[in-house]
Amino acid sequence: LSPVVRRLLADNDIDISEITGTGLGGRVTREDVLAEIDARRRRAPAPPPPPPPPPPSAAPAPVAAAEDGAPAPRRAVPVAQDRPDQVVPFSNIRRRTAAHMVRSKSTSPHAYIATEVDFEPVEEVRRVAGARFKAEEGFSLTYLPFVARATVDALREFPRLNASVGDDELVVHPDVNLGIAVDLDDEGLIVPVVHHADEITLRGMARRIRDLADRARNRQLGADDIFG
């Protein structure tokens, strides 16, 4: 089972034996689990309608009188005070991030696609070569270099995706530069750039990403590292 399928089964308390897989070799896919969730929702009884609101009172409730005939004082109802907002001034990183994100909406087409991918071959490579890679390079072989290389290969095949929106035109970029977001310990994100990523091997990609991330967290990036 893929991690997505396992999470869906656990979150919705579904036994795998209750589902007939439609994937290759009878494998249970994400779509199979979603279909079972939809079927359960259709079978569930409808919730009872909410009770009708009480009719509006025609007159205000009378004020109870004290024993001496004078009106009893109304009891004060405490009103919860909202806590004041915390105002955090923008750091230079957050200010520039906000400006770049707003500018990005007008220069890059935004779309979202979710695709389920079998990562077992990648995991097999990490199991077989991970220890040797760490001994030679000094850091672990993560999934990110594989995703980065897959992105580069896809952009080679579909070069017009490596583009920006200009003045009523599509500007196709000849260089494949990958931005890798790095978290600066809750101070914000910075995106150093792997330039000419289409000329780098998988091992070289892992080295470049590690180097940029380390220098970003140590505040050692130069202007060229975040350009392009």
Side-chain angles (χ1 to χ4, degrees):
L1 298 178
S2 71
V4 174
V5 170
R6 284 197 297 270
R7 186 171 66 249
L8 285 173
L9 292 172
D11 291 347
N12 294 276
D13 194 23
I14 299 176
D15 190 336
I16 185 65
S17 63
E18 301 175 17
I19 303 179
T20 301
T22 61
L24 184 64
R27 181 185 181 201
V28 174
T29 66
R30 176 174 177 269
E31 287 71 23
D32 296 331
V33 181
L34 293 178
E36 174 65 20
I37 294 172
D38 290 339
R40 289 190 174 198
R41 288 173 180 166
R42 289 193 296 268
R43 294 194 299 265
S57 176
V63 178
E67 291 182 358
D68 59 0
R74 293 183 182 273
R75 183 181 303 169
V77 179
V79 178
Q81 297 293 328
D82 291 335
R83 290 177 294 177
D85 295 333
Q86 180 187 15
V87 178
V88 181
F90 267 171
S91 64
N92 185 48
I93 288 178
R94 291 192 185 280
R95 185 180 302 109
R96 296 182 66 180
T97 299
H100 280 269
M101 291 180 69
V102 171
R103 190 182 311 140
S104 171
K105 296 291 288 187
S106 61
T107 59
S108 301
H110 284 63
Y112 178 77
I113 296 177
T115 304
E116 184 174 335
V117 179
D118 185 3
F119 252 60
E120 182 60 28
V122 173
E123 186 60 26
E124 180 65 21
V125 171
R126 294 177 71 243
R127 281 197 297 264
V128 172
R132 186 175 73 250
F133 181 92
K134 186 172 184 178
E136 294 172 354
E137 300 292 340
F139 59 91
S140 298
L141 178 61
T142 67
Y143 294 110
L144 185 55
F146 294 90
V147 177
R149 276 301 318 178
T151 303
V152 168
D153 293 340
L155 290 175
R156 280 175 170 170
E157 187 174 356
F158 303 98
R160 290 196 176 185
L161 286 178
N162 187 30
S164 300
V165 174
D167 185 11
D168 197 28
E169 61 191 5
L170 189 69
V171 181
V172 181
H173 307 298
D175 296 330
V176 178
N177 300 331
L178 294 185
I180 307 294
V182 179
D183 178 21
L184 300 180
D185 297 327
D186 297 328
E187 295 182 17
L189 290 177
I190 193 167
V191 186
V193 180
V194 178
H195 295 97
H196 304 289
D198 54 332
E199 302 173 3
I200 304 174
T201 64
L202 176 70
R203 183 182 289 261
M205 185 75 72
R207 290 172 180 165
R208 291 288 297 278
I209 292 174
R210 174 76 175 197
D211 172 65
L212 287 172
D214 286 346
R215 289 196 286 120
R217 295 189 179 102
N218 292 321
R219 312 300 196 271
Q220 294 176 346
L221 291 177
D224 291 341
D225 294 319
I226 56 175
F227 177 75

